[in-house]
Amino acid sequence: MASPDLLFNLRNLFYLGAYQAAINNSDVPGLDADAAAERDAIVFRSYIALGSYQLVISEIDSSAATSLQAVKLLALYLTGDKEGAISSLKEWLSDSAIGSNPVLRLIAGIIFMHEQDYNEALKHTHSGGTLDLHALNVQIFIKMHRSDYAEKQLKIMQQIDEDHTLTQLANAWLGIAVGGSKIREAYLIFQDFAEKYPMTGMVLNGKAVCCMHMGSFEEAETLLLEALNKDAKDPETLANLIVCNLHLGKPSSRYLSQLKLSHPDHVLVKNAAASEATFERALQAVA
């Protein structure tokens, strides 16, 4: 009989965006060395998701496992030391002793996806090996507007474990990207998560995006305001509220101002700035 998966609940909390709950419930007894390292990686990635980059950098020292060193690189990258983090990352990936480490490859995929260097990201993630890597591949292919390749990755995940939280999430992400009848299916996946697990900003945003695709902007607004109550600085909540309010004919400038202040590199902020610049040039041309 297979031994119980002691980290099952912890992983689910992390995957669904319940980061503080994951940290609070990380004291899992009876873990071997490998499971303890995986637990620590989940905890430190949860701190990163909450913006506590310096805590992660200070707590992971040079004697830590490769997986934790990789997580530290992500924290360094997100503090702004992008060149240093990418330089170390490339050095470690070329080291035959550690280059194939699945967490290192996962972090490489995440960092290069942030850089919008999708081909470089796939170089390290495409061979898969873990559901986390396949799920990241789905996200990368969606970013590249290649839902056909994303679907192939999803099918691999379904063959490994159709009911796994990451498989269900990947199915919902792809459903939103493809649209049409798949939107309803994605909505039901997020609804199922909402009934089984603590309600998180990620799940609320997922449901809200589905609602907007289906034209239910009032329901979407209710969900997004609930998400905003959980985290007033969450960039996806703010971005989705801007879009939702535009469709409802409500003012969205306050949310855009918040997004500019807290996440100036967000794609919506950059698009708004580009539109403003184009408008200014047009005015000058007329003048």
Side-chain angles (χ1 to χ4, degrees), residues 83-97:
E83 284 187 19
I86 291 172
S87 175
S88 296
L89 185 62
K90 287 181 175 178
E91 183 184 331
W92 295 358
L93 288 164
S94 64
D95 184 336
S96 59

Side-chain angles (χ1 to χ4, degrees), residues 28 74 78 99 109 119 122 173 237 246:
V28 182
L74 178 60
L78 292 170
N119 289 327
L122 288 169
W173 298 333
T237 303
L246 287 171

Side-chain angles (χ1 to χ4, degrees), residues 17-36:
Y19 303 118
Q20 190 60 55
I23 293 164
N24 295 347
N25 291 278
S26 61
D27 188 12
V28 182
L31 298 179
D32 62 22
D34 287 345

Side-chain angles (χ1 to χ4, degrees), residues 199-206 208 220-234 236-238 240-241:
M199 186 68 88
T200 65
M202 181 191 293
V203 173
L204 287 164
N205 271 278
E221 184 188 28
T222 301
L223 292 164
L224 291 169
L225 289 174
E226 187 180 342
L228 195 68
N229 283 335
K230 292 182 180 294
D231 183 357
K233 292 182 179 179
D234 179 67
E236 297 316 307
T237 303
L238 291 168
N240 286 328
L241 270 168

Side-chain angles (χ1 to χ4, degrees), residues 262-282:
S262 58
H263 294 84
D265 291 330
H266 194 280
V267 63
L268 202 63
V269 174
K270 288 182 174 178
N271 287 348
S275 297
E276 285 171 13
T278 302
F279 182 65
E280 286 297 326
R281 283 197 299 271

Side-chain angles (χ1 to χ4, degrees), residues 5 23 26 29-30 81 83 100 146 165 168 191 193-194 225 229 244 249 283:
D5 182 357
I23 293 164
S26 61
D81 184 13
E83 284 187 19
S100 61
R146 291 306 304 261
T165 298
Q168 292 296 312
Q191 181 61 34
F193 285 141
L225 289 174
N229 283 335
C244 188
L283 281 180

